[in-house]
Amino acid sequence: MSDIQTLERETLSAISSAADEAALEAARVAALGKKGSISELLKTLGGMTPDERKANGPLFNGLRDRVTTAIAERKAALSEAALNARLSNEKVDVTLPPRPESDGTIHPVSQVLDEIAAIFADLGFAVAEGPDVEYDDYNFTKLNIPPDHPAREMHDTFYIAKQADGSRHVLRTHTSPVQVRTMLKQKPPIRVIVPGRTYRVDSDATHSPMFHQLEALVIDEKTHLGNLKWVVEEFCKAFFEIENVTLRARPSFFPFTEPSVEWDMRCDRSVPGKIAFGTGNDWLELGGSGMVHPNVLEMCGIDSKKYQGFAFGFGLDRMAMLKYGAPDIRSFFESDVRWLRHFGFAALDLPTLDGGLSR
Ligand code: DAH
């Protein structure tokens, strides 16, 4: 067998036995690199007589071409094998049931949200939603907070860059703009709750720049503060899973309600680090509420002579913190799975009123 045939056989065998891209590259350099065996062979053509060159040129070039093709083919085969290996390793069967030992648990905010939706569904409320990036008009103006109104200062707003038409969008500072959205597209009677994300420039143990609120809105022909109180009371009984709820009303001010009322619930904080609901001599702030201001109704296309309504806005994270004993709101958004596991809400345990909300 000639030297050239031996060289070809050895080179092709090195290529076909290369187990990965690095080995294949080493085989390529050994044959076709600057000092590779085939490159050296090609260099000898320069010192040959024209006749020798005529005889050897096609032989050498043919050898180089076959080796180049073999390398390209091996390379394609290797990368296909690597892809297939990845595909079969990383395959996920999404139809499998969740394993009981899986790490995933429901976040306390989601848990509380599911509980609250179940409670209000039972009272005949639908769930409404709106976008996190909101019109200034809906977040403020149509809620009876005109531009330059001092109440805007209370909200520590994140503003979005000006639009082409000069208007500003904001990250909604409360869920109340969804009241506006609901009234603009739905005729009374209206009964909705709006759980959702809200944003303010604020951060400490009890404030997070992103937090959650629970809004409620009722509009009908005969609604009054007594209805509002009853709904808050029924909600507290169901949510905190206690029978004896005592509420305290404090006069307050919100531009979108008149009169405005803040609600406190009786609680006991006499044991340090513990809070008991329904007994004791202490009060727990629930949040703001009131009868919807006639200006708001009119700006949202509802006849304020015929209809009135009430609304409230409570802190959802705050309720989760109180019910499930988390002292720092920031831990809600740190995505620490150990913290999540501590609460241990199983993915398939949906809260229901008859099954027990928190079990
Ligand atoms: N939007 C208010 C806030 O975030 C809370 C609030 C107060 C909502 C009174 C209401 C309400 O619907 O009636 O501070």
Side-chain angles (χ1 to χ4, degrees):
M1 199 184 280
S2 76
D3 286 352
I4 294 196
Q5 282 172 322
T6 310
L7 176 61
E8 174 158 0
R9 215 192 45 207
E10 283 173 5
T11 306
L12 290 180
S13 122
I15 291 168
S16 64
S17 64
D20 53 32
E21 297 220 352
L24 181 61
E25 177 61 8
R28 186 194 68 79
V29 170
L32 300 175
K34 248 193 185 150
K35 297 221 160 64
S37 51
I38 295 175
S39 308
E40 294 293 347
L41 198 60
L42 286 163
K43 279 183 209 158
T44 63
L45 287 173
M48 290 182 184
T49 66
D51 279 351
E52 284 171 333
R53 201 177 300 137
K54 216 174 190 173
N56 285 313
L59 284 182
F60 293 0
N61 283 319
L63 169 61
R64 185 195 53 203
D65 292 348
R66 285 191 296 283
V67 166
T68 306
T69 309
I71 289 173
E73 284 171 0
R74 184 70 190 146
K75 190 165 188 168
L78 282 176
S79 69
E80 188 177 325
L83 180 63
N84 284 338
R86 258 189 79 186
L87 284 174
S88 68
N89 272 339
E90 296 175 12
K91 170 172 71 185
V92 177
D93 182 351
V94 293
T95 65
L96 285 175
R99 294 218 204 112
E101 73 271 24
S102 101
D103 273 353
T105 55
I106 299 294
H107 194 282
V109 171
S110 304
Q111 167 73 21
V112 160
L113 206 154
D114 287 341
E115 294 179 15
I116 289 172
I119 295 168
F120 279 98
D122 192 53
L123 296 174
F125 285 65
V127 175
E129 284 181 320
D132 292 10
V133 177
E134 185 54 280
Y135 298 119
D136 184 290
D137 186 44
Y138 290 7
N139 195 79
F140 293 121
T141 313
K142 283 197 167 48
L143 288 169
N144 206 28
I145 317 177
D148 304 323
H149 191 286
R152 289 194 177 209
E153 300 296 313
M154 287 159 41
H155 279 223
D156 303 315
T157 312
F158 284 108
Y159 287 97
I160 306 283
K162 268 204 172 116
Q163 303 296 297
D165 65 2
S167 69
R168 271 181 321 186
H169 292 179
V170 300
L171 288 183
R172 66 178 180 192
T173 57
H174 49 180
T175 40
S176 306
V178 186
Q179 289 190 28
V180 175
R181 290 178 172 273
T182 307
M183 289 188 273
L184 286 175
K185 68 166 193 268
Q186 194 183 323
K187 293 274 150 283
I190 292 172
R191 271 200 289 274
V192 291
I193 55 161
V194 187
R197 275 190 287 274
T198 47
Y199 304 83
R200 289 187 201 178
V201 186
D202 213 350
S203 183
D204 60 38
T206 52
H207 297 91
S208 152
M210 193 280 291
F211 58 108
H212 297 81
Q213 284 192 338
L214 169 73
E215 191 87 13
L217 174 70
V218 173
I219 307 282
D220 211 334
E221 289 187 34
K222 287 196 184 85
T223 52
H224 50 75
L225 276 177
N227 301 142
L228 166 60
K229 181 175 187 225
W230 184 84
V231 169
V232 174
E233 213 164 66
E234 287 306 302
F235 165 63
C236 288
K237 277 188 201 167
F239 180 73
F240 291 107
E241 300 174 70
I242 49 172
E243 263 312 309
N244 49 331
V245 164
T246 314
L247 290 180
R248 179 172 81 173
R250 273 182 295 117
S252 185
F253 171 79
F254 300 100
F256 33 91
T257 44
E258 181 57 40
S260 302
V261 180
E262 278 188 69
W263 295 102
D264 300 334
M265 187 177 89
R266 184 183 289 282
C267 70
D268 184 356
R269 285 196 182 93
S270 56
V271 182
K274 277 223 167 356
I275 180 162
F277 306 114
T279 59
N281 289 316
D282 222 335
W283 296 96
L284 176 79
E285 274 181 42
L286 292 172
S289 73
M291 300 303 293
V292 178
H293 198 294
N295 288 353
V296 174
L297 294 173
E298 294 295 335
M299 279 188 275
C300 296
I302 290 183
D303 180 357
S304 65
K305 302 244 163 32
K306 185 163 176 209
Y307 296 103
Q308 341 71 41
F310 61 83
F312 62 78
F314 294 173
L316 199 67
D317 316 284
R318 205 179 122 71
M319 309 234 256
M321 289 164 75
L322 288 169
K323 181 162 179 181
Y324 293 114
D328 190 330
I329 192 173
R330 289 169 296 197
S331 55
F332 276 61
F333 309 117
E334 278 167 355
S335 305
D336 184 336
V337 284
R338 291 164 304 180
W339 183 88
L340 269 182
R341 234 174 271 142
H342 163 76
F343 289 97
F345 299 118
L348 295 180
D349 281 349
L350 272 187
T352 57
L353 292 182
D354 50 351
L357 280 181
S358 56
R359 261 171 289 187

